[in-house]
Amino acid sequence: MDAVLRAAAIYIALLILFKLAGRRSLAQLTTFDFVLLLIIGEATQQALLGEDFSVTNAVLVIMTLIAIDVGASLLKRRSERIAYLLDGSPTIVVENGVALEERLAKARLRLDDIMESARENGLERVEQIKFAIIERNGKISIIPREQ
Amino acid sequence: MGADEGRSRTYPVRENMPLQRMAWRMERLGWYCLVLLAVLALAGLFSKGPLSTASAATADNSLRVEYQRFARNGAQSQLMVDARGTGDSLDIILAGELLDGFSIESMQPEPQQSISHPGNGLRLRMAANEQGQVRVRIQLKADGVGPFASSLSVADQQVELRQFIYP
């Protein structure tokens, strides 16, 4: 019984914490972020398994995690509101060459971060950007203006 | 947020700015909660800290117990019992839910005798020193989850412990 409860509790706790960490942390994964993720994994592992290192326990934990994950994706398909709650929606932060400063501030991004992605697309100035969009996974998409 | 920036765009993506703004607000609220929880953890709300360390004693101070109000499932905590009596040994009775919620990992010094007590208690016969004192440290490991009320007694003196075990 407790294997299922443990897995469910950890799933929900991680879901909430990563939601709070925001989309940004996933967008630009630095080496340090990567190490941090490893440590988070390490801290989680003990709580997931407890002191029971049996195959049964491991299978039960994995089964529960996958079941919840599938369940969440089914819920997301059914309800747009839940989908939004779990995944967020894309947000436009540069429109027709003008940065939407308040949105950038709320998303904890600077124009420099946008320009970094713009340069990867071969753009030099903010005026050349038609749209910059923070995607649901935290990636910044750039759509250039037609010349 | 300005009226224009707060407006939901429909092209090239369909936005839902009211929901997005709520998400940002929740995020901010969440950070404060995280800091608050960290401060509370430092204070000992989740075991080991000023909020958690507690002691209970009888009126005549013949029995004194130091314990952790909060424990965590699977983690160890200490229970220190100071008792005074006459004679070269005295009986400490652990009763109530203590043994349901915790298992005794070790005890220093070891009891001379450990006998079950009516109910689900345990009677420990401890050797007293020349002054008739006993100080025993009991290392507990939390097994249960939830609130546990227990009592410790020596002769007719009794102290009550209330502990909570986090999952």
Side-chain angles (χ1 to χ4, degrees), chain A residues 6 17 19-23 51 80-81 84-85 88-93 95 99-108 130-131 133 135 143, chain B residues 1-2 4-31 34 73-74 141:
Chain A
R6 276 168 192 274
L17 286 172
K19 202 79 202 143
L20 290 182
R23 286 181 285 182
E51 277 164 43
E80 205 171 317
R81 224 183 149 77
Y84 183 84
L85 200 74
S89 78
T91 311
I92 299 171
V93 286
E95 196 179 33
L100 304 175
E101 292 291 349
E102 287 177 61
R103 290 182 175 197
L104 279 173
K106 292 275 190 197
R108 282 177 290 147
K130 187 171 182 201
F131 291 110
I133 302 159
E135 300 292 354
I143 300 168
Chain B
M1 186 169 284
D4 182 54
E5 293 203 18
R7 185 170 52 82
S8 300
R9 270 69 168 168
T10 51
Y11 181 84
V13 289
R14 211 156 58 82
E15 294 182 323
N16 188 340
M17 284 313 283
L19 268 177
Q20 179 65 66
R21 275 216 298 278
M22 199 178 80
W24 280 328
R25 265 204 298 277
M26 297 292 284
E27 210 177 271
R28 187 157 288 266
L29 199 70
W31 302 335
L34 289 186
N73 179 287
K141 181 164 164 270

Side-chain angles (χ1 to χ4, degrees), chain A residues 110-121:
Chain A
R110 287 173 306 157
L111 193 56
D112 293 346
D113 300 313
I114 307 295
M115 290 317 291
E116 201 175 302
S117 297
R119 283 192 291 275
E120 283 168 18
N121 288 282

Side-chain angles (χ1 to χ4, degrees), chain B residues 18 44 58 60 102 115 118 147 156:
Chain B
T58 56
D60 63 353
F102 298 87
I115 313 151
D156 56 347

Side-chain angles (χ1 to χ4, degrees), chain B residues 100-165:
Chain B
D100 297 335
F102 298 87
S103 59
I104 296 175
E105 295 264 284
S106 67
M107 206 183 292
Q108 286 301 331
E110 301 260 328
Q112 294 172 324
Q113 250 185 336
S114 174
I115 313 151
S116 35
H117 187 72
N120 55 358
L122 193 65
R123 194 169 76 212
L124 304 170
R125 177 153 299 163
M126 308 296 303
N129 65 11
E130 295 78 7
Q131 286 82 40
Q133 287 173 331
V134 169
R135 166 173 284 197
V136 54
R137 288 169 210 273
I138 303 173
Q139 199 74 33
L140 298 171
K141 181 164 164 270
D143 292 327
V145 172
F148 290 88
S150 29
S151 67
L152 264 90
S153 51
V154 168
D156 56 347
Q157 300 291 323
Q158 180 168 325
V159 294
E160 306 284 338
L161 312 184
R162 291 192 169 278
Q163 289 166 294
F164 183 85
I165 306 178

